[in-house]
Amino acid sequence: MRKPQHMFKFFGWRLALAGASIHAIHSGLFMQAFGSYSVLLQREFGWTATTLSIAFAFTRMESGLLGPIQGWLLDRHGPRPIMMIGTIIFALGFFLFATMNSLTEFFIFYFLMALGSSLGGFLSITTALVNWFDKYRSSALAISQAGFAAGALFLPLLVYVLENYGWREASISSGVIILIIGLPVSLMMRHRPSDSGDFVDGINPKISSSKEQLFVQDSKQNNDFTAKQALRTRAFWMISAGHAASLLVVGSVMLPLPLHLTSPAIGMSLQKASFIVGAVPAMQIFGQFFGGFLGDRYDKKLILILCMLGHMSGLLLVTYPYFSFMIWGFVPVHGIAWGARGPIIQSIRADYFGPTNFGTIMGFSSMVVMIGMVLGPLVAGILADYTGSYTLGFTILAIVAGIGSVFFLLATPPKNPQVLV
């Protein structure tokens, strides 16, 4: 059977690597970094954990509400112009954040950063890759999303800058890095293979083997749902609900975890805590490539169910660290589950609903998914202020994430879209 083009010959693979670099910037400078910024902002301004959690939840709500509009724009105009506009807004948000002196300014500038990150990041990149790949979709998404983990590996370096030079200086430097790297990479983005005279998976159907043609025909039997058709399926809602449940834990790791580890109950320094938070991505990278490999070959639903149980177990380990090794046990359990789940959950959406309207369908799904990112840090923060620790909040979120595995169990493939007309 004819293999797809070599990584450096087929533009789709280069697109996946470009997506990884963008994800690395967004993760290392913003998503994973905000928990460390929060520690310093809490010290300087005296803001509560609830206040910081509300800011994080507010921006995640923005991402979810923006999703349908962004998805529609992506499906019609492609990712390049959307990503370029997003990158400029993202950098501007960091420059303004460095001048912040009040809670109102904090909310406004952080909102700009989140808006730019949404437009210039995940949904735009994923929509492009879904159109460039079919048979190797999980692997391509895994390469791209490995950038999230790679960016977080630089968290200890960012914390060094934060503690030795200040959060304002770190914010300005981040804005410069975003412009220098983000804009050129955004120019590389292409919506579909036909834009460059190429083919899906790098395989020319005119010269491919009959076995490959049978695969392509079979893979498109349930494809190309409209957003309206997708919304009428149980699979859409079950995948969205399962994704939201998983992000309850992810949201708790992004923001409250550094505050939890540096609390009197654990007693870690910010620098040491940054190594724990930063070690998760190392396992996440392994999980992403392992998950991408498995997702192209085995039952995606089963893998997702196992990942949800991993999310639950990992958060419980760091919540009840009766022994110090339990905190480090959280790192591989949660990291691998997070890494494997990421590309597979996007791949199964494209498998079920097709690439043509993926951006719009994923945009509507984000309105459900955002619930997890909003409630995760918000519940943890409110209960931490009420009880004095993150124990109760983390326990509740872990249990709900475990229960979320049922959603993926119920996410059976939808009927052919023609049946739903």
Side-chain angles (χ1 to χ4, degrees), residues 24 215 254 293 307 325:
F215 171 83
M254 282 185 176
F293 174 84
C307 289
F325 72 82

Side-chain angles (χ1 to χ4, degrees), residues 234-316:
R234 183 177 68 180
F236 172 88
W237 296 102
M238 291 299 99
I239 293 174
S240 300
H243 196 172
S246 69
L247 293 187
L248 288 170
V249 178
V250 171
S252 299
V253 171
M254 282 185 176
L255 176 61
L257 185 60
L259 297 171
H260 170 63
L261 294 176
T262 57
S263 68
I266 306 296
M268 283 188 177
S269 66
L270 179 57
Q271 188 69 61
K272 187 174 181 180
S274 73
F275 282 105
I276 298 291
V277 178
V280 172
M283 292 293 100
Q284 190 182 353
I285 290 175
F286 172 78
Q288 282 168 331
F289 286 108
F290 187 55
F293 174 84
L294 294 177
D296 285 332
R297 292 162 177 81
Y298 302 105
D299 185 357
K300 294 182 177 67
K301 283 176 46 180
L302 176 60
I303 300 171
L304 289 171
I305 290 171
L306 293 175
C307 289
M308 294 300 292
L309 297 177
H311 277 310
M312 178 184 69
S313 302
L315 188 56
L316 289 175

Side-chain angles (χ1 to χ4, degrees), residues 7 56 66 105 149 255 332 356 364 414:
M7 177 176 290
F56 187 85
L66 176 68
E105 291 178 335
L255 176 61
T356 303
F364 277 104

Side-chain angles (χ1 to χ4, degrees), residues 126-138:
T126 302
T127 300
L129 290 178
V130 160
N131 281 278
W132 277 80
F133 290 91
D134 186 349
K135 186 175 181 179
Y136 298 95
R137 185 174 287 146
S138 293

Side-chain angles (χ1 to χ4, degrees), residues 44 56 74 83 85 111 114 130 134 153 187 193 196 206 224 231 256 259 284 342 365 375 386 417:
E44 181 172 338
F56 187 85
L74 288 167
M83 291 184 66
I85 293 171
F111 172 82
V130 160
D134 186 349
L153 292 174
L187 284 170
S196 304
K206 293 183 179 180
D224 299 325
L231 286 166
L259 297 171
Q284 190 182 353
S365 180
L375 290 183
Y386 181 75

